[in-house]
Amino acid sequence: MMGPRQEAQPALFYEFSLEDHVPQDHLLRSIDRFVDLSSIRAHLADFYSHTGRPSVDPELLIRMLLVGYCFGIRSERRLCDEVHLNLAYRWFCRLDLSDKVPDHSTFSKNRHGRFRDSELLRHLFETAVARCIEEGLVSGQRMAVVASLIEADANKQNSTPKEEWHASQIDPADAPRAVREYLDTLDEAAFGAASEVQPKFTSHSDPASQWTAARKGPAFFSYSGTYLIDTDHGVIVDVEATRSIRQAEVGSIKTMLKRVKEKFDLHPERLIADTAYSTGPMLGWLVDRKIAPHIPVFDKSGRSDGTWTRADFEWDAENDQYICPEGHELKQFRRNYSDPNRGPTGKGVAKYRGLKLTCQACPSKPRCCPNMDFRSITREEHEDARQVARDIAKTHQYDISMKLRKKVEMLFAHLKGILGLGRLRLLGPCGANDEFLLAATAQSLRKLAKILPAPQQSKKA
């Protein structure tokens, strides 16, 4: 038969424990084992006043932010509501049932103030990386790097064409925060100084974001997030926010490799990346530091007409010349020029030429230079490093590296598809950096929780 109507019966006393109502297999239980916030207060001590009303516990704010980024809660208003209602979130944030959840505006005040001034989010991320190293998930031998575009919180309707944009007319004192950050980054290699080319459009709300059509579709404003990962378990060891152009993304590698060396004493034996990172200076920088570049080289020296390519010519480094298959010499200079304008150009590219008389009389001219009086070959400044990368590409280890590179691409797929970071919410370079750091921290903690889950406790009878 039908049972009685269910009605709430108020009680005078309750025996309630959050610990008993959070499932043993909940993700936050595993994550909580690896969250070490013991150093936060000491890290922020100099950024709090010794007088006045007590502030909200910074550890509580960080725990709430971790919940938001671990579960894809993008809005801080919604995050406060979710922590208020969800028992597991309250348990992770060390809030009892009667404890009040901080107001959403508290996050903005702390983020724009003491959190950024103290680089707290960078410290939090590095703490998570240190725990991954401690747990044996990072060897530092093989690392991979890749950048991904993340749409900025800006649109074309609120932008100005480059010929109408005059940054010098902006008064920094009256400008919005994102504009002031843009002006502050004009000389930084990751943003303003990365290239002299100005974007087609500049956003009014976030001028540091890059107008780009790199996805071969409709153009949009974006930032680039670059991950440096250890390929053993796909752990992110560093992250950098940059302008969405190749020069800035490639330059961030040097910053990250130097930082992990200084912070964690990690020096990879090889670096895995895609063709965008195969510039001569980048390959030369890696080879000089004894890092094997497992990077496909973008090479235009090949020919489609069946004639000899540069690879068919032997390089004679001792005499600074090429030797053709017929044994003839191709030299850059055959005499000392008194006019400096006729000497080396200094542009990083050298041109080696054969003698006209020799080439005209050569029986292999139809296979070498059928439409030219003599054969010439260009050689870049870092051609030795490019050749090192070409030789590595012929090895079995290179094939393994190309498969391992998918791990870092999967991290960005997880970032956008699962954690919901397909579009940035915060404005300015600092906002983009904050979001990338928090997202990378959340991914590192989730990685630890997945590989080393919390032990399951037997249920009480």
Side-chain angles (χ1 to χ4, degrees):
M1 65 178 180
M2 184 180 295
R5 184 184 300 274
Q6 180 68 35
E7 294 183 0
Q9 298 293 330
L12 293 177
F13 302 99
Y14 288 95
E15 290 186 3
F16 188 89
S17 173
L18 282 176
E19 181 70 31
D20 297 335
H21 287 76
V22 179
Q24 293 294 323
D25 59 349
H26 198 284
L27 177 62
L28 286 178
R29 282 196 178 272
S30 295
I31 289 178
D32 185 64
R33 299 164 53 236
F34 304 107
V35 176
D36 181 12
L37 304 180
S38 59
S39 60
I40 282 184
R41 287 184 170 273
H43 189 81
L44 292 173
D46 295 336
F47 297 88
Y48 281 91
S49 173
H50 298 289
T51 60
R53 187 174 60 182
S55 67
V56 177
D57 186 0
E59 181 176 340
L60 169 60
L61 298 179
I62 292 299
R63 285 185 175 273
M64 290 181 65
L65 287 173
L66 290 177
V67 168
Y69 278 84
C70 283
F71 292 94
I73 305 174
R74 305 288 296 121
S75 168
E76 288 167 357
R77 288 177 181 267
R78 183 185 161 211
L79 175 61
C80 292
D81 293 338
E82 292 289 340
V83 173
H84 176 71
L85 295 172
N86 193 299
L87 296 180
Y89 296 171
R90 278 186 170 270
W91 173 84
F92 181 78
C93 294
R94 307 295 191 260
L95 291 173
D96 203 354
L97 285 177
S98 59
D99 292 333
K100 185 178 179 181
V101 177
D103 187 77
H104 66 87
S105 63
T106 307
F107 291 97
S108 298
K109 293 178 181 178
N110 283 273
R111 179 173 58 246
H112 296 313
R114 55 180 65 94
F115 282 9
R116 286 182 183 171
D117 295 339
S118 65
E119 296 187 347
L120 176 64
L121 299 184
R122 168 66 62 179
H123 172 74
L124 179 67
F125 168 72
E126 291 177 346
T127 301
V129 175
R131 185 60 185 269
C132 292
I133 296 174
E134 180 183 343
E135 296 293 340
L137 305 185
V138 176
S139 68
Q141 295 300 310
R142 298 179 298 190
M143 292 187 183
V145 64
V146 75
S148 182
L149 301 181
I150 306 293
E151 188 175 354
D153 190 16
N155 58 67
K156 185 179 179 182
Q157 285 69 31
N158 188 26
S159 65
T160 300
K162 63 179 179 180
E163 58 270 12
E164 300 178 13
W165 177 262
H166 301 289
S168 59
Q169 296 180 0
I170 298 176
D171 185 1
D174 299 330
R177 180 182 291 106
V179 176
R180 295 199 302 270
E181 291 179 5
Y182 162 71
L183 297 174
D184 291 339
T185 59
L186 288 177
D187 296 328
E188 291 187 9
F191 290 97
S195 172
E196 296 180 356
V197 179
Q198 296 300 317
K200 187 175 181 180
F201 292 97
T202 300
S203 169
H204 296 166
S205 60
D206 193 357
S209 60
Q210 178 76 23
W211 179 256
T212 178
R215 290 179 179 170
K216 307 302 180 182
F220 58 96
F221 288 104
S222 73
Y223 285 94
S224 285
T226 305
Y227 277 177
L228 179 66
I229 73 163
D230 184 272
T231 60
D232 288 358
H233 293 88
V235 174
I236 305 168
V237 295
D238 206 352
V239 58
E240 186 78 3
T242 67
R243 184 178 168 188
S244 295
I245 57 174
R246 182 177 58 83
Q247 296 92 324
E249 295 168 358
V250 172
S252 65
I253 297 181
K254 300 178 182 180
T255 302
M256 292 189 292
L257 287 175
K258 291 177 181 177
R259 195 155 50 202
V260 297
K261 173 63 176 178
E262 295 173 358
K263 187 66 180 181
F264 306 111
D265 195 26
L266 297 178
H267 185 76
E269 172 265 334
R270 74 180 69 167
L271 182 72
I272 307 167
D274 58 26
T275 312
Y277 298 88
S278 65
T279 63
M282 184 72 249
L283 294 175
W285 188 87
L286 292 172
V287 171
D288 289 343
R289 284 154 182 78
K290 310 300 181 182
I291 301 176
H294 286 236
I295 303 173
V297 178
F298 183 70
D299 199 344
K300 292 185 177 180
S301 64
R303 293 190 170 192
S304 58
D305 57 359
T307 57
W308 288 336
T309 66
R310 184 171 57 188
D312 296 316
F313 289 72
E314 180 184 354
W315 170 243
D316 182 4
E318 183 178 354
N319 297 309
D320 188 25
Q321 64 184 8
Y322 277 99
I323 306 296
C324 78
E326 292 289 347
H328 304 304
E329 300 173 348
L330 282 76
K331 293 187 176 183
Q332 184 179 7
F333 305 109
R334 297 182 183 274
R335 59 173 175 162
N336 295 325
Y337 290 102
S338 59
D339 184 359
N341 294 326
R342 300 186 64 186
T345 62
K347 296 181 180 180
V349 178
K351 196 166 188 177
Y352 293 80
R353 302 173 178 85
L355 289 174
K356 179 179 179 179
L357 294 177
T358 303
C359 291
Q360 292 288 344
C362 181
S364 298
K365 186 178 185 301
R367 298 179 57 192
C368 181
C369 51
N371 302 320
M372 298 284 292
D373 292 336
F374 56 89
R375 179 60 186 264
S376 64
I377 295 177
T378 58
R379 181 179 178 85
E380 294 188 6
E381 180 182 1
H382 299 280
E383 188 63 29
D384 291 337
R386 291 165 62 88
Q387 188 59 45
V388 170
R390 293 191 193 99
D391 294 339
I392 291 175
K394 301 175 184 178
T395 65
H396 176 63
Q397 291 296 323
Y398 177 83
D399 296 333
I400 297 176
S401 296
M402 292 301 100
K403 295 178 181 179
L404 293 175
R405 187 165 62 88
K406 296 179 180 179
K407 290 188 176 184
V408 68
E409 294 172 350
M410 291 171 60
L411 283 170
F412 277 113
H414 179 268
L415 176 71
K416 299 176 183 179
I418 305 301
L419 302 187
L421 196 65
R423 180 185 175 97
L424 296 175
R425 186 177 55 83
L426 304 181
L427 298 176
C430 292
N433 188 59
D434 290 350
E435 292 221 58
F436 288 135
L437 284 171
L438 281 168
T441 303
Q443 288 183 288
S444 297
L445 293 174
R446 288 177 65 109
K447 177 76 66 174
L448 283 165
K450 179 181 179 180
I451 298 177
L452 304 169
Q456 300 296 309
Q457 299 180 4
S458 59
K459 296 183 178 179
K460 297 180 180 179

